Amino acid sequence: EAGVTQFPSHSVIEKGQTVTLRCDPISGHDNLYWYRRVMGKEIKFLLHFVKESKQDESGMPNNRFLAERTGGTYSTLKVQPAELEDSGVYFCASSHGGDYQPQHFGDGTRLSIL
Amino acid sequence: DAKTTQPTSMDCAEGRAANLPCNHSTISGNEYVYWYRQIHSQGPQYIIHGLKNNETNEMASLIITEDRKSSTLILPHATLRDTAVYYCIVSVNMFSGGYNKLIFGAGTRLAVHP
């Protein structure tokens, strides 16, 4: 079974530019989550999808961040325009439906804003 | 904020058991204890989870005290590849269907040495 895959693994862009991160969850996983770790801080929850529906966006930092999951398969996280404080590692995780199913994480996208 | 407290760091000799403690004194009756680990530059890796009974899988054992206010993750025969940051997370289902938002703390940095 293929794990959660994220693309790109690294991205370096300039302040003000746009970047789109992609996450392919494990096949059959209805739940998809985004987390991030900014420099020196702990991993923080951003948002959660059930299939194509956003269930919880409470962790999204501001309206420069837009997440989508069209068709309930892969997801994208767009940052527009990027700011210096957006630098960090963005993780995606997925899980089966059903109570207390563990989340399985990808290796993240390391985003650097110059 | 994380609902758990863990030691900042621990050492373990290769081949010996590693016992990682976690305090979660404010845990509620429907909250599970999850353990993840993060090996350098990888995404968090699910290890094990439990509610009140002890659990064991191919990676580790989880011992939860009877009052559920603390737990211990046991790696029975630590290897150098077990060197990682270990996170103890208390999580509750946010709604029926398995959504559980993970709140990461700083974790315990485990160093396994020869």
Side-chain angles (χ1 to χ4, degrees), chain A residues 31 33 35 37 42-45 48 50 55-56 58 91 95-108 110, chain B residues 30-32 34 36 38 41-44 46 49 87 91-106:
Chain A
N31 292 302
Y33 310 79
Y35 294 80
R37 183 204 296 274
E42 293 153 5
I43 299 172
K44 297 289 189 185
F45 168 84
H48 163 243
V50 176
Q55 198 66 41
D56 182 350
S58 62
F91 295 105
S95 70
H96 278 296
D99 291 348
Y100 301 105
Q101 293 297 309
Q103 297 176 31
H104 299 276
F105 284 75
D107 284 338
R110 184 172 299 276
Chain B
N30 61 345
E31 291 181 319
Y32 275 65
Y34 290 82
Y36 284 78
Q38 188 173 21
S41 80
Q42 298 180 15
Y46 166 75
H49 73 288
Y87 298 98
S91 182
V92 62
N93 254 23
M94 301 302 290
F95 75 98
S96 177
Y99 158 41
N100 55 328
K101 177 164 63 177
L102 300 178
I103 300 176
F104 287 82

Side-chain angles (χ1 to χ4, degrees), chain A residues 12-72:
Chain A
V12 181
I13 62 170
E14 293 188 349
K15 175 182 173 182
Q17 291 185 323
T18 298
V19 63
T20 300
L21 314 181
R22 173 169 168 146
C23 169
D24 286 76
I26 293 172
S27 178
H29 282 191
D30 287 341
N31 292 302
L32 188 147
Y33 310 79
W34 285 95
Y35 294 80
R36 76 171 180 177
R37 183 204 296 274
V38 296
M39 184 66 71
K41 299 291 182 66
E42 293 153 5
I43 299 172
K44 297 289 189 185
F45 168 84
L46 295 179
L47 85 159
H48 163 243
F49 287 95
V50 176
K51 297 183 181 179
E52 68 277 6
S53 300
K54 291 177 189 175
Q55 198 66 41
D56 182 350
E57 295 185 82
S58 62
M60 294 287 263
N62 52 60
N63 59 10
R64 295 185 294 103
F65 289 76
L66 175 64
E68 296 180 321
R69 192 183 182 194
T70 306

Side-chain angles (χ1 to χ4, degrees), chain B residues 60-100:
Chain B
S61 294
L62 173 61
I63 308 299
I64 303 174
T65 57
E66 191 169 344
D67 63 7
R68 302 210 322 123
K69 293 184 177 182
S70 66
S71 61
T72 301
L73 178 75
I74 300 172
L75 307 178
H77 305 286
T79 71
L80 299 179
R81 289 175 295 179
D82 292 321
T83 293
V85 178
Y86 287 76
Y87 298 98
C88 169
I89 300 169
V90 167
S91 182
V92 62
N93 254 23
M94 301 302 290
F95 75 98
S96 177
Y99 158 41
N100 55 328

